[in-house]
Amino acid sequence: MALLQAGKRHYEPSKYDHSTPIGVLHQMVLRWGDAERTTSRRAVRRWLDGVAFVDVQARTFAEYWNRHNETALAGDGPLWVVLGDSTAQGLGATSPMHGYVGQVARVLDERSSRPWRILNLSRAGAQAAHVLHDQLAVLDQLGVKPDLVTCGIGSNDILGTAPKTFHSNLRQLIRRLPSYSVVMDLLLPDRFWAIGGLASPYVAGINRTIHSSAAERGLPVAELSRHVRPPWRGKLAPDLFHPNDLGYQHQTNALLAALPATLTRATSPA
């Protein structure tokens, strides 16, 4: 069916994507990896291996969610639709279900009398425009009303989309989200990354746009900016960019804290 075919674009490029400096560096690292592995710089070698490892995850995790989505669409029970990027895919975790989506799903199942279905429309590398034009289009075509929609996007736009366009895309996206949605803000980089001290004020401004736009709609915001904080040691995947299982636990806490208190009661059978 057309909906499932659209879901197979998890890893394919979108016409709405832009090449970010991080993305370009990522591809350069992959090309230079073999040469760098011959050097004595062990830290660099480990990082290169970590980047390559997460690159493989981007493909295998997308395949997992494509299969999972087919089962979710054919099943029964409360439905959660996930919009977003690689963190919604769970990249960096030990398995797709150890990212924040899987961790939150386990809590929802514990609180509900019926197992939740997850339709994960996210894609590694996605930017706000991709969610706005592609992922929301799939959501609109579902023909059923989900019990929950979550949207976490923006990290790939920080260096890849002009600020005016980025803020505009976020506002349009949040305006189009269903009334039963939860929006996720962005974690604040710090001096762990060399550019962290410079990027943090800009990201804080992006979060103000997310919070103000969500407030206009009356949508709750999962505050990653408050729950996911330093120290970073032990919370990052081998690529030193994506969270690991523990890092995703903090994102899970942020999302759980933002979910409406009536959510699980509303999904109990009559």
Side-chain angles (χ1 to χ4, degrees), residues 55-186:
D55 183 67
V56 171
Q57 280 190 330
R59 301 177 187 277
T60 58
F61 283 26
E63 292 169 357
Y64 170 88
W65 286 116
N66 282 328
R67 294 191 301 269
H68 191 97
N69 288 347
E70 293 178 359
T71 302
L73 287 172
D76 189 20
L79 178 63
W80 171 17
V81 176
V82 181
L83 309 176
D85 52 26
S86 59
T87 56
Q89 292 271 295
L91 295 197
T94 53
S95 78
M97 290 301 288
H98 282 88
Y100 79 80
V101 173
Q103 293 190 40
V104 169
R106 285 192 291 275
V107 176
L108 289 176
D109 285 344
E110 291 171 359
R111 297 178 180 178
S112 176
S113 57
R114 292 182 295 168
W116 278 72
R117 294 178 293 152
I118 303 171
L119 184 63
N120 194 336
L121 302 180
S122 66
R123 185 179 61 79
Q127 298 174 338
H130 179 264
V131 179
L132 176 62
H133 297 288
D134 290 1
Q135 295 180 29
L136 278 180
V138 178
L139 175 61
D140 292 340
Q141 296 169 20
L142 281 181
V144 297
K145 178 181 176 181
D147 298 273
L148 173 65
V149 174
T150 60
C151 179
I153 197 67
S155 296
N156 295 315
D157 290 273
I158 293 173
L159 296 177
T161 306
K164 183 177 180 180
T165 301
F166 183 15
H167 285 260
S168 175
N169 287 340
L170 284 174
R171 293 188 188 97
Q172 292 181 63
L173 170 57
I174 294 173
R175 281 198 297 267
R176 285 187 52 192
L177 288 174
S179 59
Y180 38 87
S181 301
V182 176
V183 186
M184 304 172 72
D185 72 4
L186 303 181

